[in-house]
Amino acid sequence: MVTQIISDDEAMDKIMPGNPQVKKVEKVKKMKSGLVPKDDRRTVGEATVENPRMRCENIDVYYNDGEKKAINNISLDIGCNEVIAMIGPSGCGKSTFLRSLNRMNDTIEGCRVDGKILLDGKNIYDKQVDVVPLRAQVGMVFQKPNPFPKSIYDNVAYGPRIHGLVQNKAQSDELVETSLKRAGLWEEVKDRLDQPGTGLSGGQQQRLCIARTIAVGPEVILMDEPCSALDPIATAIIEDLIDELRQEYSIAIVTHSMQQASRVSQRTAYFHLGDLIEIGPTEQIFLNPLHQLTQDYITGRFG
Ligand SMILES: Nc1ncnc2c1ncn2[C@@H]1O[C@H](COP(=O)(O)OP(=O)(O)OP(=O)(O)O)[C@@H](O)[C@H]1O
C-alpha cells in the first residue's frame, strides 16, 4: 500500500512520465494514499511504447446498434516481443477490446468499433483491408480449445494451404513440423499425425490451436483466457510456451488470473467498466499501482 502524501506535481510526474499520447491528468486530487481517486477514469501510466507492433487510438466499441457502449476511448500500444496482459472484473470489456484487435467484432451483428488500430502503421479498419489475411497476421487462441474435426496434421496444414503459403506436400510437411515444434507439441504427436485433433487432451488441443495459429505466420497472437479450461500442469506448459513465443511474436492475453498475468506478461492493462484505468510494467501494476481502482482489484476488494 502506498502511504506517503505527495504533491500534485510529484504525482503527475509519477503517473504521466512525459507521455503526450495519454490524456493528461491535469489535477490529481491529493489523497492520503497518494493514489488517483476512483471517480477519475482517465488512463494513468505509459500507454505507448517506442516501436509498437500495434497502436490503438481512441477505441470505442458499441453493441446493439449503438445502444450499449462497452469500450470507452481506449488508447494503448502493443510492443514487439512483449506479452501484454489485460485484466479487470467480469464484464469490463477485456474480450471486447481483444476482439477489436483482429476485427473479430465484425462477426457480431450490431457491433461497431470506432477509432484507429494500426498494425505496422496501417489502419486495420480501413475499408480496403481484407479480414482473412488480417486474422492470419493477428491470430487468436480462444478460451476453449477448438481444433477442427480433422487430423492433427490437417489442423495445422489447412491454414497455410488456403492462404497459399505452401506449394507442395514437402513444404506443407515442413511447416506442420516447425509449427508443432514451436508449439511444444511435436514430440507428443509426431507418430500420430493422421489421428483426429479432437482426440488429444485439453492442454494438447490448446497447443494444437497455437500451432495452427503460428502456421499462418502471425505477427500478433491474441489469447482470450487460453488456460481457463486446463488443469494446472497443462496451464504451466502453456505459460512456458507463451514466454518462448514472445521471442518471435507480440502477445495480448486476457486473463482472470492475476498470478498468470504476473507470471507471463511484461506489461499489464487494468480495465474497469469499459475504461482503461491503468497500464504499466506488470510488476509495478501489482506491487505499486497508481490508481485506487487498480489497487482495490489487485487486493481483492473488487471483482
Ligand atoms: N455480443 C454482445 N452483445 C451485447 N453486449 C455484449 C456482447 N458481448 C459483450 N457484451 C457486453 O459488453 C460488456 C463487456 O463484455 P466483455 O465480454 O468484453 O467483458 P470481459 O471483461 O471480457 O468479461 P469476462 O471477464 O466476464 O469475460 C459487458 O457489459 C457485456 O455484457
Side-chain angles (χ1 to χ4, degrees), residues 205-223:
Q205 286 187 26
Q206 197 60 306
R207 279 180 281 149
L208 181 62
C209 294
I210 293 172
R212 183 175 73 184
T213 305
I214 289 171
V216 290
E219 293 181 49
V220 181
I221 303 177
L222 311 176
M223 297 185 166

Side-chain angles (χ1 to χ4, degrees), residues 61-64 68-71 87-99 105 108-111 143 224-225 254-256 271 273-274:
V61 184
Y62 300 85
Y63 286 113
N64 304 339
K68 180 180 170 61
K69 193 173 190 187
I71 292 292
I87 62 165
S90 196
C92 66
K94 306 176 294 289
S95 299
T96 299
F97 184 74
L98 196 77
R99 284 196 301 265
N105 283 328
I108 299 173
E109 217 185 299
C111 182
Q143 197 166 351
D224 196 349
E225 296 184 55
V254 164
T255 177
H256 269 125
F271 289 66
L273 292 174

Side-chain angles (χ1 to χ4, degrees), residues 54-168:
M54 289 192 109
R55 169 157 286 176
C56 308
E57 293 177 356
N58 309 108
I59 301 304
D60 292 316
V61 184
Y62 300 85
Y63 286 113
N64 304 339
D65 296 318
E67 259 176 42
K68 180 180 170 61
K69 193 173 190 187
I71 292 292
N72 187 26
N73 196 27
I74 288 185
S75 297
L76 67 79
D77 284 355
I78 298 174
C80 298
N81 310 110
E82 76 164 351
V83 179
I84 180 167
M86 296 172 182
I87 62 165
S90 196
C92 66
K94 306 176 294 289
S95 299
T96 299
F97 184 74
L98 196 77
R99 284 196 301 265
S100 67
L101 299 175
N102 71 348
R103 294 187 50 175
M104 283 299 278
N105 283 328
D106 290 15
T107 62
I108 299 173
E109 217 185 299
C111 182
R112 189 179 92 229
V113 178
D114 290 347
K116 263 193 204 168
I117 298 184
L118 307 174
L119 174 64
D120 298 325
K122 290 203 185 102
N123 188 5
I124 66 167
Y125 281 90
D126 275 350
K127 283 209 171 68
Q128 63 270 29
V129 169
D130 181 349
V131 296
V132 176
L134 169 70
R135 289 183 192 142
Q137 270 179 300
V138 185
M140 193 153 195
V141 175
F142 297 88
Q143 197 166 351
K144 204 163 164 280
N146 58 348
F148 304 133
K150 288 172 180 287
S151 68
I152 295 169
Y153 183 97
D154 281 339
N155 259 279
V156 185
Y158 179 75
R161 203 158 54 228
I162 59 159
H163 287 284
L165 301 176
V166 288
Q167 311 310 325
N168 53 46

Side-chain angles (χ1 to χ4, degrees), residues 13-72:
D13 204 40
K14 224 175 144 187
I15 292 159
M16 301 294 311
N19 181 355
Q21 285 287 333
V22 184
K23 287 161 284 155
K24 283 229 183 278
V25 180
E26 295 90 7
K27 207 76 179 153
V28 178
K29 284 179 218 157
K30 236 182 276 178
M31 294 189 83
K32 240 192 197 158
S33 63
L35 296 171
V36 176
K38 284 183 189 185
D39 56 0
D40 193 332
R41 298 298 173 86
R42 289 167 294 185
T43 303
V44 294
E46 196 71 55
T48 58
V49 297
E50 229 165 71
N51 287 310
R53 182 58 66 67
M54 289 192 109
R55 169 157 286 176
C56 308
E57 293 177 356
N58 309 108
I59 301 304
D60 292 316
V61 184
Y62 300 85
Y63 286 113
N64 304 339
D65 296 318
E67 259 176 42
K68 180 180 170 61
K69 193 173 190 187
I71 292 292
N72 187 26

Side-chain angles (χ1 to χ4, degrees), residues 141-208:
V141 175
F142 297 88
Q143 197 166 351
K144 204 163 164 280
N146 58 348
F148 304 133
K150 288 172 180 287
S151 68
I152 295 169
Y153 183 97
D154 281 339
N155 259 279
V156 185
Y158 179 75
R161 203 158 54 228
I162 59 159
H163 287 284
L165 301 176
V166 288
Q167 311 310 325
N168 53 46
K169 175 87 167 66
Q171 287 179 2
S172 177
D173 288 354
E174 198 185 325
L175 191 51
V176 167
E177 182 173 337
T178 327
S179 307
L180 285 168
K181 277 183 174 159
R182 282 199 190 139
L185 191 58
W186 176 250
E187 288 304 322
E188 290 159 65
V189 300
K190 65 181 181 196
D191 298 325
R192 48 170 169 151
L193 293 175
D194 55 345
Q195 290 177 18
T198 46
L200 296 170
S201 72
Q204 288 172 326
Q205 286 187 26
Q206 197 60 306
R207 279 180 281 149
L208 181 62

